[in-house]
Amino acid sequence: MLQILTTFLMFLIMIGIRAFEEDYDIEYYDDLPENHYHKEGRSFSYPQSPIIDLIMKTAAPNYVPKNSGDIFDFLRDSYPLPGGLHSPYHEYDFVIIGAGSAGSVLASRLTEDKNTTVLLIEAGKPEMILTDIPIMAPYFQSTEYAWQYYMEPQPGVCKGMINGRCFWPRGKAVGGSSVINYMIYTRGRPQDWDRIAAAGNYGWSYREVLEYYKKSENARLNGYEKDPTRNRNGENPVEFVPIRTKLIKAFLEAGRIFGHPTIDYNSPHQLGFGYVQAITTKGHRQSAAKVFLHRQKKRQNLHILPDTYVTKILIDARTKTAYGVEYVRNRLKHTVLARKEVILSAGPIASPQLLMLSGVGPKKHLNSMGIPVLKDLPVGKMLYDHICFPGLIFELNTTDVSLHESKMLRVRPILQWLKNGDSTLSSPGGVEGIGYIKTPISNDPDPIPDIELISIGGSILSDGGPGGSRAIRRGMRIRDAVIDEAFGSIDRVARDTWSAFILLLHPVSFGGIELKNKNPFSHPRMYGNYLTHSKDVVTIIAGIRYVQAMAATFPFQKFGAKVHKASYPTCRHIPFDSDEYWECAIRTLTATLHHQIATCRMGPNNDPLAVVDPELRVYGIEKLRVVDSGVIPRTISAHTHAPTMMIAEKAADMIKATWASMLPNYISYS
Ligand SMILES: Cc1cc2nc3c(=O)[nH]c(=O)nc-3n(C[C@H](O)[C@H](O)[C@H](O)COP(=O)(O)OP(=O)(O)OC[C@H]3O[C@@H](n4cnc5c(N)ncnc54)[C@H](O)[C@@H]3O)c2cc1C
Ligand SMILES: *[C@@H]1O[C@H](CO)[C@@H](O)[C@H](O)[C@H]1NC(C)=O
Ligand SMILES: *[C@@H]1O[C@H](CO)[C@@H](O)[C@H](O)[C@H]1NC(C)=O
């Protein structure tokens, strides 16, 4: 019965989503307290139909007042306190801030010991049935499940975006960014981790981190499950996508023509191309929450508070010891104490923000904000990100080869997905394959790629055509006028397309993060500093040339692949296909893949940019660790969800070891 009801609802929702049509213009309300959020919600895609109204009620930022419940609550996961408790305890062994990729894993591992109590505090809500649908990944970036962060305007990048600003959504949910991400599973090259270890980060060599990658993995990769670098007995499922277009076959075939074997691209032994490995089960998203919290709900020692906003870490100014956190729940301020440690897992934007708000950060900056300094540390002084260029799009002469929204959000694929999980809805946002290449620009002596190619079963235009939702391009905040002028001829008729996103793996340019003010509900100032180093530009152009050459091979020419001559309003008068043209195009469609790292950089104590030590303890503050993607000290050849889970697995062991070794002392003195 529930199944039928759910199906019916989903059907309505899908139809509803297809009706998002009206043009919109984002206004900026990025630094207002939470209760001002509705303005932001309203400025985005004002609902058209009663069905959209329903979706927005559940998904848009505070469309209905908080905690009033909404009609989708019954489709949403829930995390009541165990044992009929009405409020959390006054004190826990560990208080973890943020239930994202890292926080979920950590909370689960620490509560394996029944004697250890953990409070996990999360600003977002639990996920729901729609977030389980992989193809809908791009649709959640403008909903209540994402922090509506924007990068500061910076000259020469993001020129095609609304107001010239790149959008930096991050997951705001129990499960964090793993509830809205593309589910792509990557680990990085062995040399990436060996270099991190060689810089003085003991314990982080590839050999050592591989054990932690494997620990959580439940590999269901036909043909590769028994590979000694994979594990079939962990919790986190990794599988191939059950649906493949002819385009991924062409991509891999073209790769082989260029000398890249079709392999498990996570294999440490060689570089190559492969089918995307997705964190799904039978075509359903498996967020870190689903895998590490949902099934652990009954644990009496694990308390989870969703919809709860941490405003400060409490640190004793005299002993420089963290002892608890301050948080806001149902608009009331509370504090909770941590007997052993406070662990910051709020992600690469919010963790440095909370540290700075709590008096840990660059002295001069904190002084200028009027925040008393407890410890002068280079918090937020570094920020690497992975940008890609999604605008190299090929038109095909077919009509039924590409994935296109208009073909997917229909009754049959929806029912099939519900039943077997093997319809086009199982495709993680249209991503089908990954290829690692090293362009002629690279002077790296090791087999470390400088570009990752992400083969899409279509393009950023696959959400267009008459009645299309335009969710993908809007998720990037590309201006409608830019799409119209550059891609209108494809878009209007929903033509078949193929594209490979060209991802810059190891940018030289890096940015940073600063507070805007002392208000914990404000967003910090985020700087990507993208493409400020010319090597980054020429490397992406080399990637573009590579893909053009691939598209010229027979596997793609079978489909008549022809590069689309996009004429961007920002690049008029520059001859198409010149390097200058591509540079301008990259600076127009500068798209992030949301892998911000290094804002709470890990490093040995002689590293002037280090915030945490190799055991992730904040320098100069006792009982405080940062465990999330922000500790990754330098770029890795990977998307960051699996690496972040790995970091949390390792952190859990380090934390357990710390407190296990305390025990004998404690006992002998008592
Ligand atoms: C749209 C998108 C697509 C992506 N696609 C992929 C992909 O396909 N593959 C991949 O490997 N990686 C992908 N990533 C990156 C990856 O998901 C992240 O790097 C990873 O999830 C980061 O984990 P984390 O634990 O550091 O932070 P998060 O998972 O972001 O978790 C931080 C949590 O802290 C909470 N929080 C923040 N501030 C507070 C506060 N004050 N109080 C309480 N809670 C707070 C947040 O709400 C959030 O739930 C994607 C990211 C995004 C945003
Ligand atoms: C848990 O704590 C109790 C009481 O302190 C102790 O007797 C017991 O051995 C502990 N159990 C474990 C698994 O550590
Ligand atoms: C597409 O173009 C290729 C190459 O020109 C050709 O072989 C093929 O038959 C064409 N397909 C269609 C459907 O027109």
Side-chain angles (χ1 to χ4, degrees), residues 190-215:
Q191 296 82 359
D192 290 332
W193 294 102
D194 288 341
R195 286 178 185 180
I196 287 173
N201 296 298
Y202 55 87
W204 294 91
S205 70
Y206 184 72
R207 186 180 51 77
E208 290 160 300
V209 303
L210 181 59
E211 292 313 305
Y212 287 107
Y213 273 125
K214 286 169 64 178
K215 182 170 183 184

Side-chain angles (χ1 to χ4, degrees), residues 397 557-560:
N397 64 0
Q557 284 312 307
K558 271 194 311 220
F559 307 113

